[in-house]
Amino acid sequence: MAGLVTLALVVGLLAYGARRGAGRADGVPATILATPEPPPVLESPPVVESWPRWGVTHTQYSADNEDDAAARARDLLSRVPMLQNQHIMGWGAGNPEPAPGKYDFRDLDRRVKLMAATGAQPVLTLCCAPDWMKGGAEGRTAWSKIEVAPLREHFDDFAKLSATIAKRYPTITHYMVWNEFKGFWDDVHNSWDAEAYTDLYNRVYDALKAVNPKIQVGGPYVPVDSHVSSANSSELKGPWGAIDNRPLDSIEYWLKHKRGADFVVIDASSATNDKGLVPDEFTALQKFSTMTTWLRQKSGDLPVWWAEWYIAPDNIGWDEQHRTAVQVAAMMEFARSGAATALYWNPQRRTGDDCPGCMWSPGSGDEMPMAGVLSGFTRWFTAGAALVDVTVSDRRARVLAVEKQMVIVNTTPEPLSVTVDGKPFDLDAYGVEWSDRGQ
């Protein structure tokens, strides 16, 4: 009998060890610090008269990864205080909690310090989750599974991690919960699992508000697809296509069942999933205004945040001037439709790589067009800025104006002579020009 008991204990221990060790060969060893790093000392964000509206999301490579170019890149980020966003795991940040209660915030500290040093209004995206929260092993990180959501039994653990981060960085008071519903797709129903996401969101919301009731929290950060023709098309449509009904249903579920929210978050591309840009790259941008208006109506006019926005399929082949013109026109749509926040996903790359759409050239730190665009819009077109209608002699030129400044974009591939607000302008093909209105 004793032998049977011993055998049962051995089998049980082996089974337990197998469960604990599942996936131990998957991924790379994560650093578990013997002595936790103390929280960084951070300057408070600069006081601004109104919400800057515009900003940038840091990705794998940013100004903290550059060598010779670091100072130039930091100058571009700091010359006008703008929003800066960082994910807590991935996109430049390592695993923040490689084992339960064992933290490694060194990467996140570095990015948070970069944001503080460059005068940012800081934002954190609470994504993604350590492996042990999603069925992986403690002490390892499988980056190939970064888009896996935490298991339901670990939702409270993720909320606790979120609260730990909020306590560590008291100068950060804006948080987006998760990213693009990663891991929340329901294959059985061919739709998003909005119920599970909302459960996670509510637990994180409660945890953050318990740290500081003044913390601003938003979701659901669902990707909003559109099509020319699809069985899932909604009635929300235009010449640019039709919105997929599944993200709309998810947003409405979240709005109905959320514990609370200080803003509503989505992301999208102006391109359709089936036909690309329709009927053209500039008309397609109307999708952004349509979605912003719909969100404001459905949410009771919660501030609308665009966590990511894209103006073309990958590898479109445009030159930098063409790309910048479409991006400027997109930002005009956000401003006119009353979006509160629009974060630019900065596609920064390694030294030596081409970097279309980047803020600075990798390696040199030389300014690229989007840096100036973001600085200009942040300075002149803050949230709530009073827009002014101005006369335009040719509608192929698009204009956004406030009392003292305006920006003009030529939407054609040819030079364009146009009179705007009573002043003549000769615009290059896809040219962008800023002008003082002289008042």
Side-chain angles (χ1 to χ4, degrees):
M1 189 68 181
L4 289 174
V5 172
T6 301
L7 178 61
L9 285 171
V10 170
V11 171
L13 287 170
L14 287 172
Y16 175 77
R19 289 196 300 273
R20 295 279 291 180
R24 284 198 181 278
D26 190 9
V28 297
T31 301
I32 298 178
L33 301 175
T35 303
E37 293 283 315
V41 177
L42 303 169
E43 292 288 332
S44 296
V47 176
V48 292
E49 292 184 4
S50 58
W51 187 244
R53 192 198 309 256
W54 313 101
V56 61
T57 291
H58 296 281
T59 53
Q60 185 67 30
Y61 301 99
S62 193
D64 58 332
N65 303 114
E66 298 279 5
D67 294 322
D68 297 336
R72 290 184 180 182
R74 287 169 181 259
D75 286 344
L76 294 177
L77 289 169
S78 63
R79 63 186 176 190
V80 178
M82 66 176 67
L83 301 168
Q84 293 182 39
N85 171 48
Q86 173 62 44
H87 290 67
I88 64 168
M89 179 176 174
W91 298 280
N95 190 334
E97 191 178 5
K102 304 293 184 181
Y103 302 106
D104 182 6
F105 290 122
R106 290 175 297 172
D107 288 338
L108 192 55
D109 282 353
R110 188 183 69 249
R111 280 287 166 89
V112 168
K113 287 191 286 187
L114 169 66
M115 294 193 290
T118 51
Q121 299 291 328
V123 178
L124 287 180
T125 298
L126 296 169
C127 182
C128 292
D131 291 56
W132 61 271
M133 293 187 191
K134 51 196 183 189
E138 297 176 10
R140 297 189 75 87
T141 303
W143 290 108
S144 63
K145 298 181 180 179
I146 188 68
E147 297 191 354
V148 176
L151 299 173
R152 201 86 174 229
E153 58 262 35
H154 288 296
F155 281 6
D156 283 336
D157 292 315
F158 188 78
K160 181 181 177 182
L161 171 60
S162 301
T164 299
I165 288 170
K167 293 174 184 175
R168 186 174 184 86
Y169 309 121
T171 59
I172 300 180
T173 55
H174 291 81
Y175 290 85
M176 295 184 284
V177 180
W178 209 242
N179 171 300
E180 291 192 325
F181 266 39
K182 285 177 167 57
F184 286 100
W185 182 256
D186 183 347
D187 287 321
V188 173
H189 296 94
N190 190 35
S191 188
W192 297 108
D193 190 348
E195 187 275 331
Y197 167 82
T198 305
D199 184 11
L200 174 68
Y201 172 90
N202 284 338
R203 300 191 205 197
V204 172
Y205 178 89
D206 289 345
L208 292 175
K209 291 292 187 177
V211 172
N212 179 2
K214 294 182 179 180
I215 286 176
Q216 305 284 287
V217 187
Y221 198 157
V222 62
V224 178
D225 294 333
S226 56
H227 322 272
V228 171
S229 177
S230 170
N232 297 305
S233 294
S234 72
E235 293 302 312
L236 198 61
K237 60 183 64 174
W240 39 265
I243 302 294
D244 192 301
N245 60 32
R246 293 168 293 186
L248 299 185
D249 290 345
S250 298
I251 293 167
E252 292 197 86
Y253 180 93
W254 175 81
L255 286 170
K256 182 178 180 180
H257 296 93
K258 62 180 171 52
R259 195 94 71 216
D262 300 290
F263 53 92
V264 57
V265 187
I266 62 164
D267 79 295
S269 170
S270 57
T272 61
N273 284 2
D274 52 350
K275 299 293 184 180
L277 294 165
V278 293
D280 61 78
E281 66 269 39
F282 289 99
T283 306
L285 301 173
Q286 293 174 13
K287 173 183 176 180
F288 296 147
S289 291
T290 300
M291 272 307 305
T292 299
T293 300
W294 184 87
L295 288 165
R296 293 179 66 182
Q297 292 172 346
K298 289 291 182 178
S299 70
D301 212 22
L302 279 176
V304 174
W305 282 37
W306 285 83
E308 304 171 41
W309 52 274
Y310 303 98
I311 46 84
D314 292 338
N315 304 315
I316 190 67
W318 294 338
D319 63 22
E320 204 66 18
Q321 191 147 321
H322 189 171
R323 180 184 302 277
T324 304
V326 183
Q327 288 169 327
V328 168
M331 295 170 75
M332 290 178 173
E333 295 285 340
F334 292 131
R336 289 197 186 98
S337 58
T341 297
L343 292 167
Y344 181 65
W345 189 274
N346 187 23
Q348 215 57 48
R349 299 184 182 178
R350 293 175 296 185
T351 300
D353 288 350
D354 288 335
C355 205
C358 290
M359 293 180 66
W360 60 86
S361 297
S364 69
D366 292 340
E367 180 175 347
M368 293 182 67
M370 273 308 292
V373 169
L374 286 167
S375 294
F377 271 78
T378 302
R379 180 180 179 186
W380 294 108
F381 303 110
T382 56
L387 301 181
V388 177
D389 290 330
V390 297
T391 58
V392 185
S393 64
D394 192 322
R395 292 189 177 276
R396 292 176 295 173
R398 298 191 181 185
V399 185
L400 191 70
V402 288
E403 181 184 4
K404 295 182 179 180
Q405 186 73 199
M406 63 183 176
V407 59
I408 312 163
V409 58
N410 177 7
T411 64
T412 76
E414 305 293 338
L416 185 67
S417 294
V418 62
T419 300
V420 180
D421 200 27
K423 297 166 63 176
F425 293 90
D426 292 318
L427 304 174
D428 294 334
Y430 298 121
V432 175
E433 185 157 344
W434 293 81
S435 176
D436 189 333
R437 295 191 63 232
Q439 297 179 13

